[in-house]
């Protein structure tokens, strides 16, 4: 471990975070200011969040337009129209409640389309023409994209087969560089009790995907051709070991020794740090024997509410840390370990966060250790884009994680929107305070 002045690095990180925040405030657009004002209204009216969640969750599952109209009318008649909507949106809702609900075949599709349009900053339309337009725009801005087709665990093998085919099409698409995949979308019968069988089957399906990814290249804005990347997402704690073993065993095959894929670890899991150490030891041995390095996407955690509910329902120990201080400490522990030159040469790091203090700390630590060629920042598409633009003035490599859903898949986006709403309004979340955030304020 390098002997660094960590106190100095912390002080420099605080100063850098302040400069980034001040610059982000200067870059804030009128449209982004409107969205921030809307978020402040939502935070100021806690019941609005409840109504919005119920509206999204209850009203749009059915394909029966009459039922959707009845549900919307029932909820808004009971609770009223949430104050956080803009004046135009409130007017449209009042029109729907007055006349539109009586003509659901006409009004409901337009209501859904309005929802989809309003969420398009965070969920990219998955239709190829629209997706390509967005990817080309980001490419012209010098921003790399990691796309994730929304949808949780599949319910059957036919659906799993369709998902695999979609991922293969992505890897053959010249506009796509990087995708994220959950193993629960590749196999519908994942079972920890059938561990070896599950891993063997996932290895076969990942091999099929990696084979296509390895053969295809992506051309960056500067003309550089790079191999395409498949990144394995890890959301549910119960899939952690299965995901890791599937990843390692697939890459252990001779045909993939020179292919660099990625994995995610979530710092809110106490198990994440030992898993990172295990992954790093394996990757160092792989590189020492002539193999390619791998990538690690470090996040704090994406499924906290579900883990809490599941542990309480089954009376299981909570899989995650139960307080944010421990999560933040584990994130920095993992960052410091991952940044060590002997480790990062084998496991390149994607530092994923919107917390400017975390990003600034990673920036200063990486420069102190002289490992800036092997890590990059990752942020969420559509979240605090003015901050991304501020960072991009001094950071050369930013990757946006971009959820994607077609019109037919938009119901999958509903779960994502609710999860992001939970995260972004949580009392200890950095993004909760992003609207009107000023340096040196309380």
């Amino acid at each position: 471990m390098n002997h660094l002045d960590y106190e100095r690095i912390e002080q420099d990180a605080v100063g850098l975070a302040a400069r980034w925040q001040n610059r982000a405030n200067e870059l804030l657009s009128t449209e982004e200011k409107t969205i921030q004002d809307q978020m402040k209204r939502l935070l100021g009216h806690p019941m609005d969040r409840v109504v919005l969640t119920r509206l999204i969750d209850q009203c749009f599952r059915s394909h029966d337009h009459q039922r959707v109209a009845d549900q919307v009318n029932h909820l808004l008649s009971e609770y009223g129209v949430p104050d956080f909507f803009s004046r135009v949106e409130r007017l449209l809702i009042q029109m729907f409640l007055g006349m539109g609900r009586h003509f659901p075949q006409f009004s409901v599709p337009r209501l859904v389309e309005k929802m989809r349009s309003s969420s398009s900053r965070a969920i990219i339309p998955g239709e190829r023409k629209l997706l390509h337009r967005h990817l080309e725009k980001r490419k012209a801005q010098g921003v790399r994209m990691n796309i994730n087709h929304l949808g949780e665990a599949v319910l059957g093998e036919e659906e799993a087969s369709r998902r695999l085919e979609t991922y293969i099409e992505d890897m053959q698409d010249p506009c796509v560089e990087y995708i994220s995949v959950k193993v629960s979308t590749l196999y519908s019968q994942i079972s920890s009790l059938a561990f070896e069988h599950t891993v063997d089957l996932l290895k076969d399906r990942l091999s099929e995907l990696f084979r296509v990814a390895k053969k295809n290249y992506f051309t960056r804005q500067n003309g550089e051709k790079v191999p395409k990347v498949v990144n394995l997402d890890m959301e549910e704690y119960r899939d952690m070991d299965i995901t890791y073993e599937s990843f390692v065993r697939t890459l252990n095959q001779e045909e993939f020794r020179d292919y660099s894929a990625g994995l995610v670890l979530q710092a809110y899991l106490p198990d994440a740090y030992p898993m990172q150490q295990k992954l790093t030891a394996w990757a160092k041995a792989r590189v020492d024997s002539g193999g390619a390095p791998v990538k690690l996407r470090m996040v704090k955690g994406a499924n906290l509410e579900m883990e809490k509910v599941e542990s309480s329902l089954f009376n299981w120990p909570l899989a995650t840390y139960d307080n944010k201080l421990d999560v933040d400490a584990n994130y920095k522990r993992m960052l410091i370990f991952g940044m060590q030159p002997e480790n990062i040469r084998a496991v390149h790091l994607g530092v994923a966060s919107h917390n400017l203090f975390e990003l600034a700390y990673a920036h200063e630590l990486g420069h102190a250790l002289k490992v800036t060629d092997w890590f990059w920042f990752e942020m969420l598409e559509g979240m605090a884009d003015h901050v991304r633009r501020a960072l991009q003035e001094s950071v050369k490599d930013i990757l946006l994680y971009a959820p994607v859903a077609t019109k037919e898949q938009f119901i999958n986006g509903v779960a994502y929107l609710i999860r992001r709403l939970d995260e972004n309004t949580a009392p200890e979340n950095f993004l909760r305070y992003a609207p009107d955030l000023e340096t040196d304020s309380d």
Side-chain angles (χ1 to χ4, degrees):
M1 192 72 79
N2 294 68
H3 297 288
L4 298 177
D5 185 349
Y6 284 99
E7 189 172 332
R8 176 62 184 273
I9 290 172
E10 290 165 12
Q11 291 170 353
D12 290 345
V14 170
L16 178 59
R19 293 194 295 277
W20 278 342
Q21 182 63 57
N22 288 333
R23 181 58 180 151
N25 289 343
E26 293 172 359
L27 295 173
L28 188 69
S29 69
T30 303
E31 182 187 7
E32 288 163 343
K33 182 72 170 70
T34 301
I35 293 169
Q36 286 195 355
D37 290 341
Q38 196 169 30
M39 182 58 71
K40 282 192 295 182
R41 290 199 300 274
L42 180 63
L43 292 171
H45 299 83
M47 197 58 201
D48 280 3
R49 176 180 162 185
V50 175
V51 176
L52 180 63
T53 301
R54 293 189 67 177
L55 192 66
I56 294 172
D57 190 42
Q58 289 177 219
C59 298
F60 300 101
R61 297 184 184 277
S62 176
H63 295 290
D64 182 340
H65 292 157
Q66 182 65 58
R67 177 167 173 76
V68 172
D70 288 345
Q71 284 286 304
V72 173
N73 181 60
H74 168 72
L75 274 174
L76 296 182
S77 296
E78 182 177 353
Y79 295 104
V81 179
D83 288 332
F84 89 96
F85 284 125
S86 68
R87 276 181 294 183
V88 173
E89 288 168 336
R90 286 201 294 271
L91 177 62
L92 290 172
I93 291 171
Q94 294 292 357
M95 289 171 63
F96 176 86
L97 295 176
M99 288 291 294
R101 66 190 177 93
H102 299 297
F103 303 96
Q105 299 301 323
F106 175 80
S107 60
V108 168
R110 281 156 183 76
L111 184 63
V112 173
E113 195 54 43
K114 173 62 179 171
M115 270 188 64
R116 193 169 177 231
S117 172
S118 298
S119 63
S120 62
R121 292 176 65 91
I123 301 176
I124 309 305
E127 290 77 14
R128 285 287 158 176
K129 188 175 179 180
L130 295 173
L131 177 60
H132 285 173
R133 187 185 303 163
H134 186 83
L135 294 177
E136 289 295 337
K137 182 184 82 171
R138 288 301 192 203
K139 183 178 178 181
Q141 294 169 341
V143 178
R144 295 167 59 215
M145 297 292 287
N146 171 7
I147 69 170
N148 168 36
H149 292 277
L150 286 176
E152 303 308 314
V154 294
L155 300 177
E157 285 301 273
E158 188 177 333
E159 190 179 355
S161 178
R162 286 199 301 270
R163 284 300 189 91
L164 178 58
E165 195 55 44
T166 298
Y167 300 145
I168 287 172
E169 287 172 8
D170 285 338
M171 292 292 89
Q172 294 169 332
D173 187 335
C175 292
V176 177
E177 174 188 5
Y178 208 122
I179 65 170
S180 279
V181 172
K182 290 189 282 287
V183 295
S184 59
T185 66
L186 292 173
Y187 181 37
S188 64
Q189 307 299 316
I190 287 178
S191 171
S192 299
L193 297 176
F195 188 89
E196 291 299 326
H197 169 78
T198 299
V199 169
D200 284 345
L201 196 144
L202 285 169
K203 186 178 82 170
D204 289 343
R205 294 182 185 181
L206 284 172
S207 295
E208 193 177 343
L209 180 56
F210 286 4
R211 215 166 276 133
V212 178
K214 184 182 171 184
K215 283 195 303 188
N216 288 274
Y217 287 80
F218 176 78
T219 304
R220 289 188 179 163
Q221 185 192 19
N222 61 5
E224 178 189 7
K225 286 195 170 185
V226 295
K228 299 205 170 191
V229 180
V230 177
N231 189 75
L232 293 195
D233 262 351
M234 211 181 297
E235 291 196 345
E236 294 186 63
Y237 173 70
R238 63 185 176 187
D239 291 341
M240 185 179 191
D241 286 316
I242 286 173
T243 302
Y244 174 82
E245 284 299 326
S246 302
F247 178 80
V248 167
R249 293 187 198 182
T250 304
L251 290 178
N252 273 341
Q253 297 173 99
E254 187 61 33
E255 65 175 309
F256 299 122
R257 275 172 49 80
D258 60 346
Y259 178 65
S260 184
L263 190 70
V264 173
L265 286 176
Q266 303 178 105
Y268 73 0
L269 296 171
D271 300 48
Y273 181 53
M275 182 69 82
Q276 180 192 19
Q277 293 174 305
K278 183 178 174 183
L279 173 72
T280 303
W282 168 81
K284 286 165 74 173
R286 170 182 162 95
V287 169
D288 288 344
S289 65
V294 294
K295 306 174 193 301
L296 174 62
R297 181 172 188 258
M298 277 181 44
V299 302
K300 288 192 178 174
N303 245 20
L304 182 60
E305 295 303 318
M306 192 220 70
E307 298 289 1
K308 284 180 177 178
V309 168
E310 205 160 71
S311 69
S312 64
L313 283 175
F314 297 105
N315 198 27
W316 292 340
L318 183 62
T320 67
Y321 285 112
D322 63 1
N323 68 90
K324 192 167 188 303
L325 191 62
D326 282 342
V327 176
D328 289 354
N330 199 40
Y331 192 84
K332 290 181 180 65
R333 180 187 297 125
M334 293 173 66
L335 183 68
I336 292 168
F337 176 82
M339 285 270 190
Q340 299 309 307
E342 67 274 15
N343 296 334
I344 202 169
R345 70 184 179 90
V347 183
H348 300 171
L349 288 183
V351 182
S353 180
H354 280 264
N355 186 322
L356 287 181
F357 295 106
E358 300 290 15
L359 296 177
Y361 184 71
H363 182 277
E364 295 303 303
L365 181 63
H367 277 78
L369 290 167
K370 298 180 173 60
V371 295
T372 53
D373 288 340
W374 297 299
F375 79 91
W376 58 92
F377 290 157
E378 300 196 18
M379 305 178 83
L380 294 170
E381 175 69 65
M383 303 285 178
D385 200 53
H386 63 301
V387 175
R388 187 269 304 169
R389 297 196 299 275
L391 263 63
Q392 208 174 350
E393 293 179 351
S394 58
V395 174
K396 64 180 181 180
D397 198 359
I398 293 180
L399 182 73
L400 289 186
Y401 184 92
V404 170
T406 63
K407 187 174 183 177
E408 293 73 26
Q409 298 163 338
F410 187 66
I411 190 64
N412 297 328
V414 167
Y416 177 82
L417 288 173
I418 289 179
R419 198 175 75 193
R420 290 299 172 214
L421 182 65
D422 270 339
E423 289 177 356
N424 294 355
T425 57
E428 295 181 301
N429 190 295
F430 189 86
L431 279 177
R432 178 189 175 99
Y433 305 96
D436 288 342
L437 185 61
E438 301 280 349
T439 54
D440 299 320
S441 65
D442 289 342

